[in-house]
């Protein structure tokens, strides 16, 4: 358990952005409720993307695996 926690901390510090694609109202609500408990640095890294076209503008798609059933 300690190893998982330590790796999560190092991942969180090196994280450039946390992109949520097709966020549901439930995900948005959970993040809004937990925002007071999340550091402002981490919460500023959260980005919502509604379409794959928006995601394509943000990051190169050759690094992203999207199943054919979604595309």
């Amino acid at each position: 358990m300690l190893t998982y926690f330590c790796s999560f901390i190092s991942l969180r510090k090196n994280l450039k952005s946390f992109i949520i694609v097709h966020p549901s109202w439930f995900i948005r609500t959970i993040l809004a409720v937990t925002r007071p408990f999340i550091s402002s640095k981490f919460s500023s890294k959260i980005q919502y993307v509604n379409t794959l076209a928006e995601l394509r503008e943000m990051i190169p798609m050759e690094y992203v695996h999207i199943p054919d059933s979604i595309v």
Side-chain angles (χ1 to χ4, degrees), residues 6-60:
C6 291
S7 65
F8 177 73
I9 289 174
S10 66
L11 175 66
R12 189 180 64 185
K13 288 186 183 229
N14 293 328
L15 190 68
K16 302 293 180 216
S17 69
F18 187 78
I19 302 170
I20 301 173
V21 182
H22 299 277
S24 65
W25 65 270
F26 181 74
I27 296 295
R28 287 181 184 259
T29 304
I30 292 296
L31 286 172
V33 168
T34 58
R35 191 164 296 250
F37 306 106
I38 300 173
S39 73
S40 60
K41 269 182 144 178
F42 182 71
S43 94
S44 69
K45 295 178 182 182
I46 298 173
Q47 298 179 3
Y48 299 109
V49 176
N50 292 317
T51 64
L52 293 176
E54 288 178 35
L55 181 63
R56 194 172 291 117
E57 291 173 4
M58 298 173 79
I59 58 174

